[in-house]
Structure formats: C-alpha cells, structure tokens
Amino acid sequence: MKARVYVTLKKTVLDPQGQTILRALEGLGYRGLQQVRQGKVFDIQLNGLSKLEAQQQLERIARDVLTNPVIEEFRCELED
Amino acid sequence: MKARVYVTLKKTVLDPQGQTILRALEGLGYRGLQQVRQGKVFDIQLNGLSKLEAQQQLERIARDVLTNPVIEEFRCELED
C-alpha cells in the first residue's frame, strides 16, 4: 500500500526559505509570482496492514514523528 | 492562482534520509513499513497570468530552478 504525507509550515509561520526562492525567481525574470512556500513530502510503502490499520498508523507517524506540531501541519493520503 | 510542485528523487537514486527515517520508525515500534522516501513540495501563488501562461511558467520554474535533473523528477499541479 502506498501512502503520502505532506508536511507544510502553518500559514502563520514565516518561511524564509520560500521567500529566498521567490526573490531568486524574480531575479531570474519570472513574473506574476506572489508567494512561494516550501514543504516536505514523504512517500511511504506499507505492507501487511488493513486499510484502517494503515490509515491509523500513518496518522500516528505523521503526527508524532514527521511533523513539528508547533510550526507545521500535515495531510495524509493513502492509495490502494 | 495556486500551484503545487512536487520534487522527488528518481526511483533509481538512493535516499539515505528516507532510509534513516524508516529505521527510526522501526526502532519506535511501527510495523509493516517497507520504504520511506522524502521529497520536497513547493506551494506557489501566481497572479495576473492566464492559466496557460501560468502552466508554462510553472513547468519552466520546476524544470530549471526547483529540480536537479540528474537525480530528481518533478510534477506540477495548477489549481484555479
């Protein structure tokens, strides 16, 4: 079973890395850009679990290990 | 207009960061995990461009700036 966890900075948290990319892109001549924010994505392969177990384990992993709850938020997607 | 660019390592490229996370999760007692691979996601806000222009610019940015074509691949998504 394949799963994907997206970890992104909360909207209220400043993203200096994204701002640097935005300024670099503007410097390269790209127009119409307003904001760039960078996050992380984790592709996880799970085996031998039911869909419900996988979903629950994935949420636990995302919440307890992959995300810093002070500044980040996460979203999980489970494929079949 | 909101856009998202996913940048992930090519399947043939070793991901030591993902392997470290996998071993850490196993050490924490999580079962049924087979593979973890880490990638990047960029949330980009574009304004004042047509959908076609935005799509083309986004592909250029992803290909020329955000991705290292030797070891990474990308996927773009454009929302309305």
Side-chain angles (χ1 to χ4, degrees):
Chain A
M1 214 172 331
K2 278 185 180 179
R4 212 158 223 215
V5 178
Y6 302 96
V7 177
T8 50
L9 285 171
K10 288 180 181 172
K11 287 198 178 22
T12 50
V13 176
L14 217 75
D15 180 5
Q17 196 170 6
Q19 288 177 348
T20 303
I21 295 169
L22 175 60
R23 279 197 294 271
L25 289 170
E26 286 170 347
L28 288 167
Y30 293 100
R31 293 283 162 262
L33 297 166
Q34 200 168 36
Q35 194 182 44
V36 177
R37 287 178 78 81
Q38 184 171 352
K40 288 174 280 187
V41 57
F42 299 91
D43 287 311
I44 300 176
Q45 179 82 41
L46 299 124
N47 273 349
L49 298 172
S50 73
K51 188 151 187 177
L52 182 65
E53 286 171 334
Q55 183 70 46
Q56 289 172 341
Q57 170 152 304
L58 199 63
E59 294 261 344
R60 269 208 313 280
I61 289 173
R63 193 180 52 241
D64 298 343
V65 185
L66 302 177
T67 305
N68 174 353
V70 179
I71 57 167
E72 293 173 329
E73 58 194 7
F74 68 89
R75 190 162 56 82
C76 297
E77 277 176 14
L78 195 64
E79 293 171 28
D80 293 317
Chain B
M1 212 168 336
K2 278 186 181 180
R4 210 158 224 217
V5 179
Y6 302 96
V7 177
T8 50
L9 284 170
K10 289 181 181 172
K11 286 199 180 19
T12 50
V13 176
L14 217 74
D15 179 5
Q17 196 170 6
Q19 289 178 347
T20 303
I21 295 167
L22 175 59
R23 279 196 295 271
L25 289 171
E26 287 170 345
L28 288 168
Y30 293 101
R31 294 283 161 260
L33 297 166
Q34 201 168 38
Q35 195 183 44
V36 177
R37 288 177 79 81
Q38 184 171 352
K40 289 173 281 189
V41 57
F42 300 91
D43 287 311
I44 300 175
Q45 178 83 41
L46 299 124
N47 274 349
L49 299 171
S50 73
K51 185 151 187 177
L52 182 66
E53 286 171 335
Q55 182 71 46
Q56 289 172 341
Q57 170 153 302
L58 198 64
E59 294 262 343
R60 270 208 315 280
I61 289 173
R63 195 179 52 241
D64 299 342
V65 184
L66 301 178
T67 305
N68 173 353
V70 180
I71 55 166
E72 292 172 330
E73 58 194 8
F74 68 89
R75 189 162 57 80
C76 297
E77 277 174 16
L78 195 63
E79 293 170 30
D80 290 317

